[in-house]
Amino acid sequence: MLDADFFRRWMAAAAASVDREAQRLTDLDSPIGDADHGSNLQRGFAAVRTALEEEAPDTPGAVLTLAGRQLISTVGGASGPLYGTLLRRTGKALGDAAEVSEAQLAEALRAGVDGVKALGGAEAGDKTMVDALAPAADALADGFVAARAAAEQGAEATTAMRARKGRASYLGERSVGHQDPGATSSALLIAALAEAADAVEG
Ligand code: ADP
Ligand code: MG
């Protein structure tokens, strides 16, 4: 079972990963965006880290809803409300249980991804974070390692896609040949989940 500590570790691992990879995320956002994705997420996850320390939420659902609120209020770009919705919806679906199963998390994450699709209007194949998140949520039924691999593959597959949502869509055909920054950060988020799970399983 996964408790609030597990979810705190997930968010801490995500914040650390975003710090390490900020430059790469911003570089990916240069040719098909406005070169701010790394700094956007760094600011957001720094706020998540501070809020989790100050408020010490004690259920999985409360950890994720607090993190989602921080991303919405501190990230200026499109990705803030989208990631914020992902985490808030996922957290809300987990309810107020003190511990949740992997299967419950998989189901909740699927609800979170549905929230991202509803807010941003993106479907699979539109070259967005959905292309990494949706396969990861599906693969989570087979475990954290499978989810991480699915997210990484999903992110890599965006290179060949033409963007239909977000800033990159303004480039039309010229968006092809570049990996989507949001799909890349989504793969980092799911890798951080696998990292949090590693710490449990040893
Ligand atoms: P902005 O585009 O406002 O500068 P960011 O650079 O932080 O915001 O984030 C860009 C990423 O957000 C994209 O790479 C893409 O994955 C994601 N994104 C943008 N619009 C949408 C959307 N409508 N639905 C899903 N994801 C989106
Ligand atoms: Mg940007």
Side-chain angles (χ1 to χ4, degrees), residues 29 33-37 40 77 167 181:
D29 196 32
D34 56 352
D36 65 356
H37 190 56
N40 279 345
R167 259 175 221 287

Side-chain angles (χ1 to χ4, degrees), residues 25-26 28-29 32-41 43 75-83 116-117 119-123 126-131 133 158 164-170 179-186:
L25 295 173
T26 286
L28 288 170
D29 196 32
I32 59 169
D34 56 352
D36 65 356
H37 190 56
S39 47
N40 279 345
L41 290 189
R43 186 169 57 250
V75 178
S79 61
L82 292 162
Y83 273 128
V116 172
K117 287 176 165 179
L119 178 65
E123 286 297 331
D126 286 348
K127 195 182 183 95
T128 70
M129 58 175 70
V130 169
D131 291 304
L133 292 173
T158 62
R164 289 197 200 84
K165 292 287 169 194
R167 259 175 221 287
S169 67
Y170 309 155
Q179 185 166 317
D180 180 62
T184 308
S185 58
S186 288

Side-chain angles (χ1 to χ4, degrees), residues 104-164:
Q104 283 171 313
L105 174 58
E107 197 179 316
L109 192 61
R110 227 172 275 129
V113 175
D114 286 344
V116 172
K117 287 176 165 179
L119 178 65
E123 286 297 331
D126 286 348
K127 195 182 183 95
T128 70
M129 58 175 70
V130 169
D131 291 304
L133 292 173
D138 289 340
L140 195 51
D142 298 323
F144 295 108
V145 171
R148 176 175 60 198
E152 276 165 12
Q153 273 172 27
E156 282 165 20
T158 62
T159 303
M161 294 174 188
R162 175 187 172 146
R164 289 197 200 84

